[in-house]
Amino acid sequence: MQKSNVPVAKDLVLIGGGHAHVAVLRRFGMRPLPGLRLTLVTRDIHTPYSGMLPGYVAGHYDFDECHIDLGPLARFAGARLYHGEVQGLDPESGLVEVGGRPPVRYDLLSINTGSRPGTLDVPGAAEFALPVKPIDAFLRDWEDLIQRVLKSRGRFRIAVVGGGAGGVELALATQYRLQTLLRERNDDPGRLDYLLLTRGPDILPTHNAGVRSRFYRVMGERDIRVLTEHRVTELREGVIVAEGQPEVQADAVLWVTSASAPGWPALSGLAVDERGFIRVDANLQSQSHPGVFVAGDVAALPDDRPKSGVFAVRQGPVLTENLRRAATGRPLRRYRPQRQFLGLISTGDRYAVASRGRFSMEGAWLWRMKDWIDRRFMERFNELPEMEEESGPKLAAGVADQDAIRELSTLAMRCGGCGAKVGSTVLTRVMQRLPVSGRGDVVLGIDAPDDATVLAVPEGRLLVQSVDYFRAFIDDTYTFGRIAANHALGDLFAMGAEPQSALAIATVPYGRERVVEESLYDLLAGALSVLEPSGAVLAGGHSSEGAELAFGLTVNGLVDPDRIWRKGGMQPGDVLVLNKPLGTGTLFAADMRGKARGRWVDAAIESMCVSNLEAGEVLRRHGATACTDVTGFGLMGHLLEMTRASDVDAVLHMDAIPMLDGAPETVAAGILSSLQPQNLRLRRGVADLEVAARHPRFPLLFDPQTAGGLLASLPAEHADACVAELRRAGYPAAAVVGRVETRGEAMEPVRLAPTSSVSSARERRERRPCPNFGERARQEAQRES
């Protein structure tokens, strides 16, 4: 990954993580274009490689072997990763509308979203069929179908609608997997009844007669009935209706029909063909909007080709080059699609048929060759090279026009005094775009700006105040604003206070005026999306320009004196409840090194975006006696503060503590947060340290958390009801993680409960000791003592 300290001159936004865009990301990572900022907007964090998907369904590959992880790839490319689904486009204003966040501005846009099966024109298809796209939804439905089949008794009828290569491969792959699973359970694989329906006179219409003949034979050998001339007109529960044909009974229907386009390109004013695919010229550029490029299935080429991933893969290098050229004002390069290509179509088992023009061949060796080709392709994106960061690169020629160069040249002259502040014009425009809300006890706020904010404290209530501020650890500015607000408000919820107001402190990177404006707006809009539901208003703040993005909030809350939660309220006999999992520190340390899977980081971000507002209310209803939020000092640090203030001991049940997916793996790999060593000094508070440190999850007790959960003590008789209500309220990981005991004679107030003797195989694997961690902890403790 190459990081640049060059101000942003232009924004390139990539919509979708398809086969062409993964090539764009990798190539920009290998050779960045200074001054051009990349942003990837994607609905899926892991993009499946279509060539290996049948093998995954058949059970030959695991998830990570056939999916490209967009998290590390985006980081390698220096691209901002926005996880969301595009809902529209304003090409005149250069804005991408993304669900759940402010619009994303662009100078150049590239679209590679793929296609979806055409189901909307067939009544009942959307309700009763399992469409193969979007693939992430299909894979979830496929796992559900596996369970349905395994739990069923007697004949189970599965129909595949679609006679192209995708339908044929899916029929054979799903049948192979289901029959294998039934055999493993000593069940009868013959009770599966498979059939394939196609609207035309033949299967595989884009392939030669030899290929069709081979697959008719294979499908006959596998007892898969083929029904040609079956144009499906309606689906009902358990029934397929085809024009002019008898009704077909089916317990499950897999839908692999011809591709259809998403609706938003046409609604956005882009030129599209009669099926809704975006019309492009020979340079992969939109015929109606020159700043928009399109690749893959969603593109309608002048010399059209079948909707196949092989064309998107070949378009990647040309698309990358044309995006570079468009960004720097140079002539574009023509894309010349191949006339013929070698297709290797699998037959469910480790066997394949080759197809090219009039040529066909089959054999197990072809599957091995296909497997070798596919794995080599995947290695390019999942095993990224280590890149040295450049120091002080210059703008690439042509990225910035004369106006931009004049504007950016002033940045080097800005002083650290008044020049560090964001300009009044930018700030005014941002505040005009943000919703303004007020409340009676905020006397002067941003709705009536003055030199300072004026707050009123109602009689009989106390003001609770806290502040947090930290560097950005993700590139999504809006989401960072949300996380920062959740992190700051956590202190108020931990004390039982009602949020009243907040002051924002923002540092945005140097850049063009519009870039600074968008960054500041996204930060504040993200924070407001959290503040407003909590009842707090944004009353003011301070903004400045700096070398990197940073953000924080001073938050104010109100509380009745007799309802304040303190760390010193724990009582012997109480249980300890935690509502969020641990692991953000190690996961983002791994993400910075490109060692964390995208889905792990995405799940961590999702957890950090969940407010503790409702958790605090639930804990209050169940009689919580003490509370704190788990943040920078880690679970152990904050628990030790509580035991010290309450003069009690505590027992932690290690196996009950919720962990974020991937956190045990990154800790086992020795990847820890930079704050971890300081937190680890608190291990002196753990009894029987030498034994405790052998537990593989021991380091996670000291893992610093961002926007972590609430740790509370409450009467044991309320524990089950409290945890159940927390889970219903949107905290699925909530759990009882320990208990409070009377202060003993031992100096160490925290003891770890022994590992449960009953555990899953996965848990036993995760409990393997981290290399030398226990011994290292023991030696360091001896040195410090």
Side-chain angles (χ1 to χ4, degrees):
M1 175 188 64
Q2 300 216 13
K3 286 261 186 185
S4 174
N5 58 11
V6 171
V8 176
K10 284 182 181 176
D11 273 302
L12 165 60
V13 174
L14 309 175
I15 298 178
H19 295 5
H21 275 175
V22 296
V24 170
L25 290 168
R26 189 179 190 278
R27 286 168 178 265
F28 269 102
M30 298 291 289
R31 189 163 63 93
L33 195 62
L36 182 69
R37 179 170 64 179
L38 275 64
T39 302
L40 173 65
V41 181
T42 176
R43 193 178 63 84
D44 305 315
I45 293 296
H46 293 262
T47 191
Y49 175 45
S50 58
M52 299 177 79
L53 187 63
Y56 173 69
V57 171
H60 305 316
Y61 304 113
D62 63 29
F63 183 91
D64 290 315
E65 285 177 316
C66 65
H67 282 77
I68 296 171
D69 194 338
L70 296 178
L73 183 59
R75 179 173 286 280
F76 174 76
R80 302 184 299 177
L81 177 60
Y82 289 2
H83 188 191
E85 187 162 10
V86 172
Q87 298 178 338
L89 183 69
D90 183 353
E92 308 309 322
S93 301
L95 296 173
V96 179
E97 298 168 10
V98 184
R101 60 167 304 116
V104 182
R105 187 174 297 277
Y106 69 86
D107 298 292
L108 287 172
L109 181 69
S110 184
I111 304 171
N112 181 210
T113 57
S115 60
R116 302 189 178 196
T119 61
L120 297 181
D121 57 340
V122 178
E127 182 178 1
F128 297 113
L130 276 65
V132 72
K133 292 184 180 181
I135 290 175
D136 64 318
F138 167 74
L139 294 179
R140 288 194 300 271
D141 291 339
W142 166 235
E143 292 299 324
D144 292 340
L145 178 57
I146 289 175
Q147 296 306 313
R148 280 181 58 199
V149 171
L150 296 180
K151 292 176 182 177
S152 68
R153 294 293 178 267
R155 185 183 181 199
F156 196 97
R157 298 159 298 191
I158 298 178
V160 178
V161 178
V168 169
E169 277 195 300
L170 189 67
L172 290 164
T174 55
Q175 184 198 50
Y176 178 85
R177 176 74 177 281
L178 291 172
Q179 288 184 340
T180 300
L181 292 173
L182 289 173
R183 288 191 189 94
E184 290 174 353
R185 287 159 177 76
N186 295 318
D187 201 342
D188 178 18
R191 67 183 182 87
L192 288 179
D193 187 0
Y194 256 83
L195 64 153
L196 183 142
L197 294 81
T198 181
R199 65 187 302 168
D202 257 320
I203 60 172
L204 300 164
T206 61
H207 294 267
N208 62 64
V211 172
R212 287 195 291 272
S213 175
R214 295 176 190 275
F215 272 100
Y216 273 125
R217 190 200 78 242
V218 170
M219 298 179 83
E221 294 169 350
R222 309 281 176 83
D223 292 326
I224 298 177
R225 291 182 295 143
V226 178
L227 303 180
T228 59
E229 306 288 359
H230 273 63
R231 189 175 74 86
V232 177
T233 57
E234 183 184 2
L235 258 62
R236 299 195 297 269
E237 188 171 5
V239 177
I240 302 173
V241 180
E243 184 179 23
Q245 301 287 355
E247 291 183 352
V248 177
Q249 305 296 312
D251 297 298
V253 179
L254 307 180
W255 197 270
V256 203
T257 60
S258 58
S260 67
W264 61 263
L267 295 175
S268 301
L270 298 177
V272 298
D273 65 8
E274 63 280 358
R275 295 187 295 165
F277 295 104
I278 304 171
R279 292 187 181 276
V280 298
D281 59 20
N283 304 319
L284 301 178
Q285 192 172 37
S286 166
Q287 292 185 4
S288 58
H289 294 80
V292 177
F293 291 78
V294 190
D297 286 0
V298 76
L301 298 165
D303 184 9
D304 210 5
R305 290 288 185 270
K307 302 299 183 185
S308 170
V310 67
F311 292 102
V313 170
R314 296 289 184 89
Q315 288 164 2
V318 178
L319 177 64
T320 306
E321 181 61 24
N322 280 347
L323 291 172
R324 289 183 184 278
R325 295 187 180 200
T328 53
R330 294 180 290 144
L332 302 180
R333 172 183 165 189
R334 183 184 181 90
Y335 165 65
R336 292 178 171 81
Q338 62 270 39
R339 287 288 174 184
Q340 294 182 343
F341 64 93
L342 176 64
L344 294 171
I345 309 170
S346 60
T347 61
D349 52 359
R350 290 178 170 83
Y351 196 89
V353 175
S355 171
R356 179 179 173 86
R358 298 181 180 180
F359 165 83
S360 71
M361 184 179 290
E362 64 181 276
W365 69 274
L366 285 170
W367 191 91
R368 292 193 295 271
M369 183 175 75
K370 171 179 166 55
D371 176 64
W372 179 77
I373 292 171
D374 290 342
R375 289 183 184 275
R376 280 191 65 199
F377 175 81
M378 293 296 289
E379 284 175 5
R380 297 173 58 200
F381 302 102
N382 285 340
E383 298 180 14
L384 299 168
E386 297 289 339
M387 300 293 291
E388 294 183 3
E389 295 189 5
E390 295 182 0
S391 59
K394 298 180 180 180
L395 283 171
V399 169
D401 56 24
Q402 289 302 312
D403 289 339
I405 291 172
R406 280 194 296 271
E407 184 180 346
L408 293 171
S409 66
T410 66
L411 296 178
M413 301 171 61
R414 296 189 187 182
C415 67
C418 62
K421 296 176 68 173
V422 171
S424 173
T425 304
V426 170
L427 197 55
T428 299
R429 285 200 300 262
V430 169
M431 301 315 296
Q432 288 174 343
R433 295 169 61 186
L434 292 170
V436 176
S437 58
R439 44 185 288 164
D441 49 11
V442 179
V443 181
L444 291 178
I446 58 174
D447 54 338
D450 214 304
D451 289 336
T453 295
V454 178
L455 308 174
V457 180
E459 185 177 355
R461 308 199 79 186
L462 300 177
L463 180 69
V464 181
Q465 189 175 75
S466 183
V467 62
D468 275 294
Y469 178 82
F470 44 89
R471 299 163 53 197
F473 51 88
I474 58 174
D475 294 321
D476 185 339
T477 314
Y478 174 80
T479 302
F480 177 54
R482 293 186 63 197
I483 293 171
N486 268 332
H487 188 84
L489 289 174
D491 289 330
L492 301 187
F493 299 139
M495 298 198 74
E498 166 206 342
Q500 180 211 41
S501 59
L503 299 175
I505 312 166
T507 300
V508 292
Y510 301 118
R512 298 190 65 180
E513 189 174 280
R514 66 166 181 79
V515 175
V516 172
E517 178 181 339
E518 289 305 312
S519 296
L520 185 57
Y521 173 75
D522 283 354
L523 271 178
L524 296 178
L528 277 174
S529 72
V530 172
L531 293 173
E532 288 185 339
S534 76
V537 299
L538 182 62
H542 177 78
S543 56
S544 63
E545 290 181 304
E548 58 184 354
L549 183 70
F551 186 58
L553 294 148
T554 297
V555 290
N556 305 297
L558 302 171
V559 66
D560 295 336
D562 57 352
R563 290 173 61 86
I564 298 178
W565 275 332
R566 302 289 300 275
K567 293 178 180 177
M570 293 199 299
Q571 302 295 320
D574 284 351
V575 296
L576 298 173
V577 172
L578 180 65
N579 69 309
K580 283 190 182 185
L582 306 179
T584 61
T586 179
L587 285 173
F588 280 95
D591 183 49
M592 291 182 66
R593 303 183 193 181
K595 303 297 184 183
R597 300 204 182 279
R599 62 180 179 273
W600 297 346
V601 175
D602 191 56
I605 291 173
E606 184 178 347
S607 177
M608 290 187 289
C609 285
V610 176
S611 169
N612 282 323
L613 172 62
E614 289 191 58
E617 295 171 352
V618 172
L619 292 169
R620 173 75 68 185
R621 286 195 290 272
H622 290 277
T625 56
C627 189
T628 188
D629 62 330
V630 181
T631 51
F633 296 153
L635 178 66
M636 182 61 70
H638 292 287
L639 177 59
L640 287 171
E641 290 178 335
M642 296 178 79
T643 58
R644 187 180 305 114
S646 303
D647 194 30
V648 294
D649 285 352
V651 177
L652 282 177
H653 306 302
M654 287 296 293
D655 295 338
I657 298 173
M659 305 289 178
L660 286 164
D661 285 347
E665 287 85 348
T666 54
V667 163
I671 302 175
L672 305 171
S673 165
S674 57
L675 188 57
Q676 180 95 2
Q678 296 181 48
N679 288 350
L680 190 59
R681 295 171 184 169
L682 300 172
R683 64 188 178 276
R684 289 184 236 173
V686 179
D688 199 2
L689 178 61
E690 187 172 353
V691 174
R694 293 174 187 163
H695 196 290
R697 295 188 176 187
F698 181 75
L700 285 164
L701 298 179
F702 305 89
D703 190 58
Q705 304 302 291
T706 301
L710 297 180
L711 176 66
S713 60
L714 50 92
E717 60 269 23
H718 298 171
D720 291 344
C722 180
V723 169
E725 188 175 351
L726 283 170
R727 291 177 178 176
R728 290 194 299 270
Y731 308 97
V736 174
V737 299
R739 66 181 184 271
V740 181
E741 296 183 340
T742 303
R743 183 78 175 96
E745 296 183 1
M747 294 181 58
E748 302 88 358
V750 176
R751 179 167 53 87
L752 303 188
T755 301
S756 171
S757 59
V758 180
S759 59
S760 67
R762 179 181 177 181
E763 287 174 331
R764 288 194 296 272
R765 287 195 302 271
E766 290 174 350
R767 289 189 190 120
R768 287 178 298 194
C770 298
N772 299 324
F773 190 91
E775 178 63 20
R776 186 166 67 248
R778 185 186 65 78
Q779 293 174 354
E780 290 179 2
Q782 287 180 343
R783 283 198 298 271
E784 291 179 5
S785 62

